[in-house]
mmCIF file of all heavy atoms in Angstrom:
data_model
loop_
_atom_site.group_PDB
_atom_site.id
_atom_site.type_symbol
_atom_site.label_atom_id
_atom_site.label_comp_id
_atom_site.label_asym_id
_atom_site.label_seq_id
_atom_site.Cartn_x
_atom_site.Cartn_y
_atom_site.Cartn_z
ATOM 1 N N GLU A 346 8.815 -4.204 -23.884
ATOM 2 C CA GLU A 346 9.958 -3.340 -23.564
ATOM 3 C C GLU A 346 9.707 -2.644 -22.229
ATOM 4 O O GLU A 346 8.688 -1.976 -22.049
ATOM 5 C CB GLU A 346 10.158 -2.290 -24.665
ATOM 6 C CG GLU A 346 11.324 -1.351 -24.387
ATOM 7 C CD GLU A 346 11.430 -0.222 -25.402
ATOM 8 O OE1 GLU A 346 10.871 -0.362 -26.512
ATOM 9 O OE2 GLU A 346 12.067 0.812 -25.073
ATOM 10 N N LEU A 347 10.630 -2.803 -21.315
ATOM 11 C CA LEU A 347 10.504 -2.218 -19.984
ATOM 12 C C LEU A 347 11.333 -0.942 -19.899
ATOM 13 O O LEU A 347 12.524 -0.946 -20.211
ATOM 14 C CB LEU A 347 10.983 -3.222 -18.925
ATOM 15 C CG LEU A 347 10.950 -2.788 -17.465
ATOM 16 C CD1 LEU A 347 9.531 -2.459 -17.033
ATOM 17 C CD2 LEU A 347 11.543 -3.872 -16.580
ATOM 18 N N ARG A 348 10.696 0.142 -19.480
ATOM 19 C CA ARG A 348 11.383 1.417 -19.334
ATOM 20 C C ARG A 348 11.377 1.840 -17.865
ATOM 21 O O ARG A 348 10.345 1.769 -17.204
ATOM 22 C CB ARG A 348 10.709 2.496 -20.193
ATOM 23 C CG ARG A 348 10.797 2.189 -21.682
ATOM 24 C CD ARG A 348 10.265 3.313 -22.532
ATOM 25 N NE ARG A 348 10.471 3.026 -23.947
ATOM 26 C CZ ARG A 348 10.160 3.871 -24.922
ATOM 27 N NH1 ARG A 348 9.602 5.046 -24.641
ATOM 28 N NH2 ARG A 348 10.391 3.547 -26.184
ATOM 29 N N GLU A 349 12.531 2.288 -17.381
ATOM 30 C CA GLU A 349 12.650 2.680 -15.981
ATOM 31 C C GLU A 349 12.246 4.143 -15.790
ATOM 32 O O GLU A 349 12.400 4.975 -16.680
ATOM 33 C CB GLU A 349 14.080 2.466 -15.482
ATOM 34 C CG GLU A 349 14.525 1.003 -15.478
ATOM 35 C CD GLU A 349 13.776 0.157 -14.451
ATOM 36 O OE1 GLU A 349 13.116 0.732 -13.552
ATOM 37 O OE2 GLU A 349 13.850 -1.075 -14.547
ATOM 38 N N ILE A 350 11.729 4.438 -14.592
ATOM 39 C CA ILE A 350 11.251 5.769 -14.244
ATOM 40 C C ILE A 350 12.327 6.499 -13.445
ATOM 41 O O ILE A 350 12.903 5.950 -12.504
ATOM 42 C CB ILE A 350 9.954 5.671 -13.407
ATOM 43 C CG1 ILE A 350 8.866 4.950 -14.205
ATOM 44 C CG2 ILE A 350 9.475 7.053 -12.963
ATOM 45 C CD1 ILE A 350 7.666 4.543 -13.369
ATOM 46 N N ASN A 351 12.618 7.744 -13.810
ATOM 47 C CA ASN A 351 13.598 8.543 -13.084
ATOM 48 C C ASN A 351 13.133 8.787 -11.657
ATOM 49 O O ASN A 351 11.945 8.983 -11.401
ATOM 50 C CB ASN A 351 13.793 9.885 -13.810
ATOM 51 C CG ASN A 351 14.904 10.712 -13.189
ATOM 52 O OD1 ASN A 351 15.927 10.174 -12.761
ATOM 53 N ND2 ASN A 351 14.717 12.014 -13.132
ATOM 54 N N ARG A 352 14.069 8.769 -10.703
ATOM 55 C CA ARG A 352 13.794 8.954 -9.270
ATOM 56 C C ARG A 352 12.722 7.974 -8.801
ATOM 57 O O ARG A 352 11.786 8.324 -8.069
ATOM 58 C CB ARG A 352 13.375 10.389 -8.952
ATOM 59 C CG ARG A 352 14.381 11.468 -9.272
ATOM 60 C CD ARG A 352 15.733 11.293 -8.581
ATOM 61 N NE ARG A 352 15.650 11.134 -7.128
ATOM 62 C CZ ARG A 352 15.600 12.151 -6.270
ATOM 63 N NH1 ARG A 352 15.596 13.398 -6.713
ATOM 64 N NH2 ARG A 352 15.563 11.929 -4.971
ATOM 65 N N ALA A 353 12.865 6.742 -9.216
ATOM 66 C CA ALA A 353 11.866 5.716 -8.918
ATOM 67 C C ALA A 353 11.714 5.474 -7.423
ATOM 68 O O ALA A 353 10.670 5.000 -6.973
ATOM 69 C CB ALA A 353 12.240 4.404 -9.620
ATOM 70 N N GLU A 354 12.735 5.822 -6.635
ATOM 71 C CA GLU A 354 12.684 5.534 -5.193
ATOM 72 C C GLU A 354 11.744 6.476 -4.440
ATOM 73 O O GLU A 354 11.353 6.185 -3.308
ATOM 74 C CB GLU A 354 14.095 5.630 -4.588
ATOM 75 C CG GLU A 354 14.639 7.028 -4.366
ATOM 76 C CD GLU A 354 15.188 7.700 -5.622
ATOM 77 O OE1 GLU A 354 15.118 7.085 -6.702
ATOM 78 O OE2 GLU A 354 15.705 8.833 -5.515
ATOM 79 N N LEU A 355 11.368 7.600 -5.047
ATOM 80 C CA LEU A 355 10.519 8.570 -4.362
ATOM 81 C C LEU A 355 9.057 8.167 -4.442
ATOM 82 O O LEU A 355 8.547 7.810 -5.504
ATOM 83 C CB LEU A 355 10.708 9.967 -4.956
ATOM 84 C CG LEU A 355 12.019 10.672 -4.613
ATOM 85 C CD1 LEU A 355 12.081 12.027 -5.296
ATOM 86 C CD2 LEU A 355 12.176 10.847 -3.100
ATOM 87 N N CYS A 356 8.358 8.290 -3.313
ATOM 88 C CA CYS A 356 6.953 7.887 -3.195
ATOM 89 C C CYS A 356 6.053 8.743 -4.088
ATOM 90 O O CYS A 356 6.322 9.923 -4.326
ATOM 91 C CB CYS A 356 6.534 8.025 -1.734
ATOM 92 S SG CYS A 356 4.853 7.489 -1.381
ATOM 93 N N CYS A 357 4.961 8.143 -4.558
ATOM 94 C CA CYS A 357 3.988 8.865 -5.387
ATOM 95 C C CYS A 357 3.044 9.711 -4.552
ATOM 96 O O CYS A 357 2.271 10.506 -5.098
ATOM 97 C CB CYS A 357 3.189 7.885 -6.250
ATOM 98 S SG CYS A 357 2.043 6.840 -5.300
#
Side-chain angles (χ1 to χ4, degrees):
E346 179 186 340
L347 179 61
R348 296 186 175 183
E349 296 292 345
I350 300 168
N351 186 38
R352 299 303 307 275
E354 76 281 2
L355 287 179
C356 183
C357 69

